[in-house]
Every structure is written in C-alpha cells, then in structure tokens.
Amino acid sequence: MTLEAVRGATDVQVRGGDSADVVRRAARVLVIDSEPIVRHGLRALLTAEPDLAPAGEGSSPRDALLAAERSRPDVIIVDIEFGRDERPGLDLVRALLERCRGARVLVLTGCRDRDSMMRTVRLGVHGYLRKGADTVEIVRAVRAVLRGEGVFDPGTGSAGPLQVLRENTQDSGPDLCRTALLTDRENQVLRLLAVGMSNREIGARLRISEATVKFHVRNLRDKLEVRRRTEIVYTAARQGIV
C-alpha cells in the first residue's frame, strides 16, 4: 500500500440522522517488525477496524525512523527484537519517543527477557505486550494507548509499569521505583509543576512547546497512576519524589 493510499484511507465518514456527515480521521498506526508475516497480519488487522488505519511499516530501525517521519503516526507498534543484540531495538524505541512526541509507542514483542522489558518501561513506552496476545487484545491495547492509558502485560498478569518496577526493586522501596520510572524531562516538568507553573510557563522555561508539556504531563499522570493533573504533585510529594 502506498503512502498516498494510506493517507486517503484515514478519513472515516460517519452519518448521523438528519445532520451533515461528520468526517472523523482514523488513527494512523505505524507497524515496525523484522518479520514480514507479522507486518502483514497487523496491517490486515488494522484495516478491518473502522477507527484505525495502517500508516506504513518498517522492517529495520533505519526504515522505521524514515517511515515515522513520513507518516506522522498516532500509534507506533514496534518489536524490540532485531537480531540477537537488544541494543538496536532499545535505541530505536528511545529515538521514536524523542522524535515522535505526539505518538504513543506500543511494544509488541516475542522477547521473553524481563530485563529488556524493564528497560523499555524505563524509557517511557506507553504499552508492552507479548506476541502471544490475541487480536482482540492488540486492538484493545491500541485504542487504550490512544486514550492516554498505559497497557502493560509483563507475562505475570495485568500490571502497570510501577508494579513491574516494584517487583524488580523490592529492596529499594516504592519511592525509588517511581523515580526510576520518570525520564529526566518528566522530572524537570514535575519540579516546575510543584512550584505552580502553568503549561505555558513550563514550556517557556524549558524551551519546549506547550503541546510537548501536555505530553509530559499526561505521561506523569500515567506513571504516577493518578487521574488528574492536580494529583500529580500531591502524589509525587507523598512518595518523596519532589
């Protein structure tokens, strides 16, 4: 499927009674996996969903970054396995998170190594599923990350990223778990939230856009497991993070 065809397929027409038709853009999903059969299967799965659309694919880290730049995806489904060395996959995830600020990154991998999963969680991915997940779970996960929710399946039942970190740092306590989960930029935003700055003021101080600040605030809510912006600083202070 060409990029032009993908773009043309991302508008969904919804007819509602006597009112004019409403055009709603389907969420663009970029698929990155070294296995052609996996890419084909995910493309077919996405095409069957009216609110989702394949936005391209990549078979290598280099292809993935080029495809992400071209397609401006809403969600990126990425495997972290590229050969025997995990580093290319982790470096790719880091680059996607840095370059595609508006996209949600969902790892879908056959990797069974718990340390690799921990590293991706610490990088700040929005979801982590194993390839044993069925198609219903994958579609549900894509929609969940689009809503700003975190989806994590470490293979031991349903658990959030904080719980995964707790299980691997039992001697360190919950405070270190939460601190390890936040990126440097998220810690900067958190400290400025703590002194009462608005998104616009934080953006000016850190020299980033207000939209990027909102992205980091949303991630702070997810990682600290709170619903409201006002709860972020309270929870962080209670846990000794700020």
Side-chain angles (χ1 to χ4, degrees):
M1 180 180 292
T2 66
L3 183 59
E4 289 72 17
V6 169
R7 285 175 175 160
T10 57
D11 286 341
V12 178
Q13 194 172 55
V14 180
R15 189 178 298 276
D18 297 331
S19 61
D21 291 349
V22 177
V23 176
R24 181 184 306 157
R25 182 178 65 79
R28 297 184 296 266
V29 185
L30 175 65
V31 175
I32 303 166
D33 198 290
S34 60
E35 300 179 41
I37 191 170
V38 174
R39 298 197 305 274
H40 174 79
L42 288 173
R43 186 168 66 246
L45 177 64
L46 295 168
T47 301
E49 301 297 326
D51 57 331
L52 304 175
E57 57 187 57
S59 59
S60 68
R62 182 177 180 276
D63 289 345
L65 293 174
L66 290 173
E69 183 179 348
R70 288 196 306 265
S71 61
R72 302 185 301 278
D74 300 298
V75 177
I76 302 172
I77 301 177
V78 58
D79 193 357
I80 57 173
E81 291 186 293
F82 291 93
R84 294 183 179 180
D85 186 1
E86 68 175 12
R87 184 175 298 278
L90 293 175
D91 287 345
L92 171 60
V93 168
R94 183 182 293 105
L96 290 170
L97 288 166
E98 290 176 353
R99 299 185 190 186
C100 305
R101 297 288 187 177
R104 312 290 283 181
V105 177
L106 172 64
V107 173
L108 179 64
T109 183
C111 179
R112 299 283 176 180
D113 181 50
R114 196 171 179 81
D115 289 340
S116 296
M117 181 193 68
M118 288 295 300
R119 292 187 185 98
T120 62
V121 170
R122 289 192 177 104
L123 285 174
V125 298
H126 305 95
Y128 188 104
L129 291 179
R130 300 196 188 277
K131 283 185 176 176
D134 62 32
T135 56
V136 173
E137 288 179 282
I138 294 172
V139 171
R140 185 183 297 129
V142 171
R143 291 187 176 127
V145 298
L146 279 167
R147 292 193 300 269
E149 300 171 12
V151 181
F152 294 85
D153 175 19
T156 56
S158 178
L162 178 58
Q163 180 62 31
V164 174
L165 283 173
R166 282 200 189 107
E167 293 173 2
N168 287 267
T169 54
Q170 293 180 356
D171 298 331
S172 304
D175 297 352
L176 181 58
C177 290
R178 290 185 186 273
T179 303
L181 188 61
L182 303 184
T183 65
D184 290 342
R185 181 64 86 186
E186 286 162 357
N187 273 301
Q188 291 174 335
V189 171
L190 175 58
R191 287 193 292 271
L192 296 178
L193 283 174
V195 298
M197 284 192 177
S198 66
N199 287 349
R200 179 175 297 179
E201 291 170 332
I202 293 172
R205 175 68 64 87
L206 299 179
R207 296 183 179 179
I208 57 179
S209 70
E210 190 172 350
T212 300
V213 175
K214 290 179 181 178
F215 168 79
H216 291 306
V217 170
R218 184 172 64 241
N219 281 348
L220 285 168
R221 288 205 316 266
D222 290 346
K223 292 180 178 182
L224 294 174
E225 299 176 356
V226 299
R227 285 186 165 187
R228 299 178 181 86
R229 174 194 176 96
T230 54
E231 296 176 294
I232 293 174
V233 174
Y234 171 78
T235 301
R238 190 179 60 184
Q239 294 296 332
I241 300 174
V242 67

